[in-house]
Amino acid sequence: MARIISVANQKGGVGKTTTAINLAASIAIAEKRVLLIDFDPQGNATSGVGVVKNEVKTGIYHALIQHRDIKEIVRDTELSFLRVVPSTIDLIGAEIELVDDPEREYRLKEALNVIKNEYDYILIDCPPSLSLLTVNALTASDSVIIPLQCEYYALEGLSQLLNTLDLVKKNLNPMLEIEGILLTMFDSRNNLSHQVADEVKNHFNSKVFNTIISRNVRLSESPSFGKPVLLYDIVSKGAINYMELAKEIISRGRIH
């Protein structure tokens, strides 16, 4: 049965989608069966693994709102062990459509129940907000990865996210864990990056991944080619970082 991991932070620009795409790809090249769920209406994880967004007619919205079988929506990628459930623009209206549903927080969990035995890992790229979509993702997940950029204001808003995680754990998903805090956009030449990394490690100790994601041009370029960085430039620092992160997660061996 799959281990379901959300990648979440309500702040934009922290490397959330970059992490979802490249971690999914890096676990997949270790020959683990991976399903990437693009749960962000912007659809960047969809295009980031090579799916042309304007050719997508059905996506996660249709499983969530119209109860379509998620197996019908899954798409292949260039990597044989990585598949994706794309996002469509319809997802923007999903929250309004769910408001009166008494089971609104559990809709993604229900959709994934029929498919989770077919994968080793399911990664969910959450929207950059603490919305009903994010709550759905956290309710469906075993754990959450929190990307945190090594820049000024990095910790701003983190307490709000941790409070949301506590509420979800208390009221909706008692099994939810923090998989880890992931330091991203690290620049070894920049004193501020080192200061932020030290501050986060001092504050959160063992919750911080050993792997740190460095700033990397190839990592920034790869989405415009519709490829995870390891298919764009496997010897780049970004590819190596995400493969190290994949090893760190796989070595924990917490597949259900």
Side-chain angles (χ1 to χ4, degrees):
M1 190 183 295
R3 180 161 182 81
I4 303 174
I5 305 174
S6 280
V7 183
N9 191 325
Q10 78 271 29
K11 285 182 73 175
V14 299
K16 180 184 55 62
T17 299
T18 299
T19 294
I21 291 168
N22 290 294
L23 177 57
S26 297
I27 295 174
I29 62 160
E31 299 193 346
K32 304 289 184 188
R33 299 164 302 163
V34 183
L35 181 65
L36 175 62
I37 309 281
D38 188 350
F39 213 41
D40 184 344
Q42 295 175 83
N44 292 336
T46 299
S47 57
V49 293
V51 176
V52 180
K53 280 195 284 192
N54 59 15
E55 292 178 3
V56 175
K57 298 293 183 277
T58 54
I60 190 61
Y61 166 87
H62 300 87
L64 204 69
I65 302 298
Q66 298 180 0
H67 299 284
R68 289 282 293 274
D69 187 338
I70 200 166
K71 293 179 186 180
E72 299 171 8
I73 299 164
V74 172
R75 292 191 169 221
D76 293 330
T77 71
E78 278 188 75
L79 293 165
S80 55
F81 282 84
L82 175 62
R83 306 187 82 199
V84 63
V85 175
S87 174
T88 58
I89 199 72
D90 307 294
L91 197 56
I92 289 173
E95 298 202 34
I96 296 165
E97 295 181 65
L98 286 172
V99 162
D100 294 327
D101 185 341
E103 295 290 305
R104 58 186 172 269
E105 297 93 350
Y106 297 94
R107 292 293 281 272
L108 182 60
K109 184 175 184 174
E110 282 171 27
L112 295 181
N113 276 342
V114 300
I115 205 169
K116 64 184 181 183
N117 288 333
E118 298 178 18
Y119 294 90
D120 298 311
Y121 292 88
I122 296 175
L123 268 63
I124 306 169
D125 182 32
C126 296
S129 62
L130 295 180
S131 60
L132 186 52
L133 290 181
T134 300
V135 170
N136 257 270
L138 296 173
T139 301
S141 295
D142 299 302
S143 61
V144 57
I145 292 171
I146 304 169
L148 210 63
Q149 81 278 30
C150 293
E151 294 176 356
Y152 199 58
Y153 296 135
L155 294 171
E156 190 180 76
L158 184 59
S159 59
Q160 192 183 356
L161 175 59
L162 295 175
N163 186 47
T164 299
L165 294 179
D166 283 342
L167 288 170
V168 170
K169 186 169 176 129
K170 194 180 294 179
N171 298 301
L172 299 166
N173 180 7
M175 306 307 290
L176 184 66
E177 304 171 11
I178 294 177
E179 188 74 30
I181 293 170
L182 178 66
L183 294 167
T184 63
M185 304 179 188
F186 182 82
D187 184 346
S188 60
R189 301 161 301 177
N190 185 328
N191 281 338
L192 181 61
S193 277
H194 290 280
Q195 288 167 10
V196 170
D198 289 344
E199 185 180 357
V200 173
K201 286 175 182 175
N202 287 337
H203 196 73
F204 293 102
N205 303 315
S206 61
K207 283 192 168 67
V208 184
F209 285 108
N210 294 325
T211 304
I212 294 177
I213 309 300
S214 299
R215 270 197 185 283
N216 179 250
V217 172
R218 309 302 264 172
L219 194 56
S220 304
E221 289 173 348
S222 59
S224 62
F225 292 88
K227 292 178 183 293
V229 69
L230 60 81
L231 289 178
Y232 180 60
D233 184 354
I234 198 164
V235 297
S236 67
K237 185 70 174 169
I240 291 163
N241 287 165
Y242 277 108
M243 286 189 279
E244 286 170 355
L245 179 63
K247 280 183 203 164
E248 197 171 340
I249 288 173
I250 292 167
S251 69
R252 297 175 178 186
R254 292 194 302 204
I255 299 174
H256 283 193

